[in-house]
Amino acid sequence: MKILLLCFTPLFLFGDATFNAQFFGIFSLLPPIIAITLAFITKDVILSLFIGALSGGFMLALVEQNIFYALVNSFVIFVKKAVESLANTSNAGIILQMLTIGGMVALITKMGGTKAVATWFAQKAKKAKSSQLATWFMGCFIFFDDYANSFIVGPIMRPLTDKFKISREKLAFIMDSTAAPIAGLAIISTWIGFELSVIKQGYDLIDDKLFLALNQSREQINAFEVFIQTLPYRFYNILMLAFVLFTILQEREFGPMLQAQRHAKNIDFSTIQNASENLEDKLLEPKEGIDLKASNATIPLGILIVFSFVGFYFSGYANIEDTNLKAQIELAPLSLLALRETFSSADTATALFQAAFLASIVAIIMGVYRKIFTLKEGIMTWTYGWRMMIITVIILMCAWPLSSVIKDLGTSIYLVDLLSDTLPLYLLPLIVFLLSSVVSLSTGTSYGTMGILMPLTVPLAIGLGVHNELMDAQLHHYMVINISAVLTGAIFGDHCSPISDTTILSSMASKCELLAHVKTQMPYAIFICFISLFAGYLPVTLGLSVWIVLPLDLILIFILLRIFGKKT
């Protein structure tokens, strides 16, 4: 009995992170290495994160216990860390926000709102170029979810692009390039909750002594504000969206896509036998005979956006403790100062949850009033949208314990001590982007890659910055660059991976062979990757303003496409 009690009683007597960093040394890197290695081997990011967290728990327990007790307590530690993560109000808000936005997306899809908007775009297309432009604009409009992009854009636009002899490969490329890249940038989407979560994790892992260099307390760090600051540095996302637009406007392609486009001119698409099933989920497909109205999408989305910003404002105002600052805001409530200070202090997860919940209620009322579904059917559709987000929640439930054991092991402290003396400042964003790309390419998931790498990147970035005597604004700027490198590298690898869900969905929705889609898309993705690395992250790390770099990159892409691309 005593043995059983010892096994199932969590013993957290393993010292602090600094002690553990010295005690374990290079072995403190084992949990993230195990997670990354298993992700390569198994292609299963949930299993990889879980085993990585277990291994970290085993090492922590091993400090005070023998191997047998440590094996048992590794599971106990994992469970305790998972429960502690859920008990955190910020994390709970993030999960509720993601689930509720997923429910709202399901509702507006069921009501036919997004299909109505897509049909409107399709009606405006009169030529080959305009049909591709309509597809691109439609993909950008469906900014709130990458899966919804495939479910809606493909079935609507495929007959039109077939009519104008646009290859299925090009249709799949446009869809895939306006799915994750636009959802990853959107400030209101099914992605933002996860992105805010991993950014927050990274800052939580920073050693207290290093944190002083930021000249801010931990309470002053707002993940949403950091997210906004990363947006100009999301080079791959921004440049890929622009590149797709340039290929359409110039009607130029290169590599396998050029061959596919030219081959499509001689194809009678009506004779093609498609093995792929229609991707539209029958549970979310609008009922036959209902009047498709764009307002079924625009009204709930408008409520989500407007009330999110209202929530940011009042939540941030309530959190400001400086009475003088509050007085200034009251004198000019819509000034730049007021907006900046309130938004930076806001509880964004709660505000987004409230807005999404309200938008969902409005969507259900609209659906019942317009006789699209009954109240019971509306609630069932909403809960089905929650179920579509469950994989993301499970990834978080495994990523949070891994991040926590990494912190307790002192992994980031060890990495900072190891690399701060040897790694040049300008190399870290490039290394982070490449590593993030390789992991997501191998695993096929952006979320899992962010969850594994962000807890290592943020502490390493601040350690390297402090060693190179960066202070305050410079140091924060350097960290923002590295955070964006994780987020964009994850999307690049996911974009290329043949096992990525969005890659598979895009190929199926366009009824294009998966390998044909990967073969034609990969050269384009690699092309933008190189420009992002060497004409994006490298110059901004060396000190050039991002507002100079971005326009120059866009001009460079336009010129290179003009030189190497050929008319289709």
Side-chain angles (χ1 to χ4, degrees):
M1 188 66 179
K2 184 177 180 182
I3 294 174
L4 288 174
L5 285 172
L6 281 171
C7 290
F8 290 97
T9 302
L11 300 176
F12 296 96
L13 306 172
F14 32 73
D16 61 15
T18 304
F19 168 80
N20 287 332
Q22 295 172 347
F23 180 80
F24 287 108
I26 195 170
F27 292 105
S28 65
L29 298 174
L30 275 178
I33 289 174
I34 287 171
I36 293 171
T37 305
L38 280 177
F40 277 110
I41 296 170
T42 65
K43 316 297 182 189
D44 189 330
V45 72
I46 293 175
L47 175 65
S48 305
L49 288 167
F50 175 65
I51 298 298
L54 275 184
S55 67
F58 171 74
M59 292 172 65
L60 289 173
L62 199 60
V63 175
E64 295 290 337
Q65 301 170 349
N66 63 41
I67 291 177
F68 174 71
Y69 294 147
L71 280 171
V72 177
N73 270 300
S74 64
F75 179 75
V76 178
I77 290 171
F78 174 86
V79 172
K80 182 176 175 64
K81 298 289 187 185
V83 172
E84 287 175 347
S85 299
L86 268 182
N88 182 289
T89 54
S90 177
N91 290 345
I94 286 168
I95 287 180
L96 286 171
Q97 165 218 321
M98 289 191 302
L99 293 172
T100 311
I101 290 178
M104 189 212 67
V105 169
L107 284 168
I108 64 176
T109 305
K110 183 69 174 179
M111 292 197 301
T114 43
K115 181 176 270 191
V117 173
T119 303
W120 182 86
F121 274 118
Q123 290 170 348
K124 300 299 178 182
K126 304 298 182 184
K127 297 179 181 179
K129 181 187 291 188
S130 59
S131 69
Q132 293 180 75
L133 278 174
T135 306
W136 186 86
F137 278 113
M138 195 189 309
C140 292
F141 173 79
I142 306 173
F143 59 87
F144 45 84
D145 184 65
D146 52 334
Y147 286 3
N149 185 298
S150 298
F151 292 144
I152 296 160
V153 177
I156 295 292
M157 294 306 299
R158 189 177 59 249
L160 192 67
T161 54
D162 284 354
K163 175 184 175 182
F164 292 115
K165 303 286 187 179
I166 305 300
S167 69
R168 298 278 175 83
E169 290 86 348
K170 185 61 183 290
L171 174 61
F173 171 61
I174 297 173
M175 289 166 52
D176 208 351
S177 300
T178 54
I182 197 74
L185 289 171
I187 60 173
I188 298 173
S189 71
T190 53
W191 279 57
I192 188 170
F194 189 90
E195 292 175 303
L196 294 181
S197 172
V198 293
I199 291 171
K200 181 178 177 295
Q201 281 178 41
Y203 275 90
D204 287 344
L205 293 178
I206 297 175
D207 183 67
D208 290 337
K209 293 178 182 178
L210 289 175
F211 213 102
L212 295 174
L214 287 174
N215 201 25
Q216 286 180 294
S217 67
R218 292 188 185 275
E219 292 73 25
Q220 289 176 304
I221 296 296
N222 184 288
F224 183 76
E225 184 180 10
V226 175
F227 172 87
I228 295 296
Q229 291 168 349
T230 66
L231 293 180
Y233 299 94
R234 308 284 194 90
F235 291 108
Y236 182 81
N237 302 45
I238 296 169
L239 299 181
M240 178 54 78
L241 288 166
F243 174 72
V244 178
L245 186 60
F246 291 162
T247 63
I248 296 169
L249 295 175
Q250 293 191 42
E251 297 182 284
R252 291 176 180 271
E253 313 284 351
F254 59 82
M257 188 67 79
L258 175 64
Q259 298 171 13
Q261 284 286 76
R262 287 179 172 174
H263 179 63
K265 304 300 180 185
N266 302 315
I267 294 178
D268 181 1
F269 286 98
S270 63
T271 63
I272 297 177
Q273 297 297 317
N274 291 296
S276 302
E277 294 292 328
N278 194 316
L279 240 192
E280 286 181 295
D281 194 317
K282 298 302 178 183
L283 289 172
L284 297 182
E285 189 177 352
K287 292 180 180 178
E288 290 185 12
I290 68 167
D291 187 13
L292 296 178
K293 295 181 178 180
S295 59
N296 288 338
T298 55
I299 290 175
L301 282 173
I303 288 172
L304 173 63
I305 293 168
V306 170
F307 279 91
S308 292
F309 285 114
V310 171
F312 293 163
Y313 187 93
F314 286 103
S315 168
Y317 178 79
N319 289 335
I320 293 173
E321 297 179 355
D322 189 330
T323 53
N324 291 329
L325 182 57
K326 274 194 170 183
Q328 293 179 53
I329 292 172
E330 289 167 1
L331 287 173
L334 295 180
S335 65
L336 183 61
L337 170 71
L339 295 174
R340 185 183 69 240
E341 294 299 329
T342 53
F343 277 46
S344 64
S345 303
D347 181 356
T348 51
T350 302
L352 282 169
F353 168 56
Q354 291 170 337
F357 195 40
L358 178 61
S360 298
I361 293 171
V362 170
I364 291 174
I365 293 172
M366 288 176 62
V368 173
Y369 177 76
R370 292 178 172 179
K371 298 181 179 178
I372 298 171
F373 45 62
T374 64
L375 178 60
K376 183 178 180 180
E377 288 173 335
I379 294 173
M380 289 298 292
T381 301
W382 188 61
T383 57
Y384 181 74
W386 280 49
R387 291 200 296 273
M388 292 192 301
M389 299 299 297
I390 199 67
I391 294 297
T392 306
V393 174
I394 294 171
I395 291 174
L396 273 177
M397 291 303 300
C398 293
W400 283 333
L402 175 62
S403 175
S404 184
V405 296
I406 286 174
K407 178 179 182 180
D408 289 339
L409 283 171
T411 304
S412 57
I413 296 173
Y414 174 77
L415 269 178
V416 169
D417 291 340
L418 178 69
L419 297 177
S420 58
D421 290 333
T422 56
L423 189 66
L425 199 66
Y426 66 89
L427 274 185
L428 183 60
L430 277 68
I431 292 171
V432 167
F433 182 91
L434 287 173
L435 184 58
S436 187
S437 301
V438 171
V439 173
S440 58
L441 176 63
S442 304
T443 61
T445 169
S446 300
Y447 284 4
T449 302
M450 296 173 192
I452 292 171
L453 293 182
M454 192 67 80
L456 299 178
T457 299
V458 175
L460 184 55
I462 191 172
L464 201 59
V466 169
H467 178 76
N468 284 270
E469 300 182 350
L470 300 180
M471 292 300 291
D472 294 354
Q474 279 185 314
L475 180 58
H476 182 71
H477 172 255
Y478 183 67
M479 292 175 68
V480 165
I481 294 173
N482 282 281
I483 290 169
S484 71
V486 175
L487 300 176
T488 50
I491 288 178
F492 161 68
D494 179 86
H495 207 195
C496 291
S497 176
I499 59 172
S500 161
D501 45 10
T502 49
T503 303
I504 294 168
L505 289 174
S506 297
S507 66
M508 291 176 65
S510 60
K511 296 196 181 296
C512 170
E513 292 292 333
L514 175 60
L515 292 181
H517 172 41
V518 173
K519 177 185 174 183
T520 51
Q521 178 166 272
M522 189 171 287
Y524 283 176
I526 293 173
F527 172 68
I528 298 301
C529 170
F530 271 95
I531 292 176
S532 300
L533 273 173
F534 299 108
Y537 287 110
L538 184 59
V540 296
T541 307
L542 292 174
L544 196 59
S545 169
V546 69
W547 304 113
I548 295 174
V549 171
L550 264 180
L552 289 178
D553 285 350
L554 293 173
I555 294 169
L556 176 64
I557 291 171
F558 188 89
I559 292 173
L560 290 176
L561 181 60
R562 194 79 182 175
I563 294 171
F564 297 108
K566 295 182 181 179
K567 283 281 186 178
T568 56

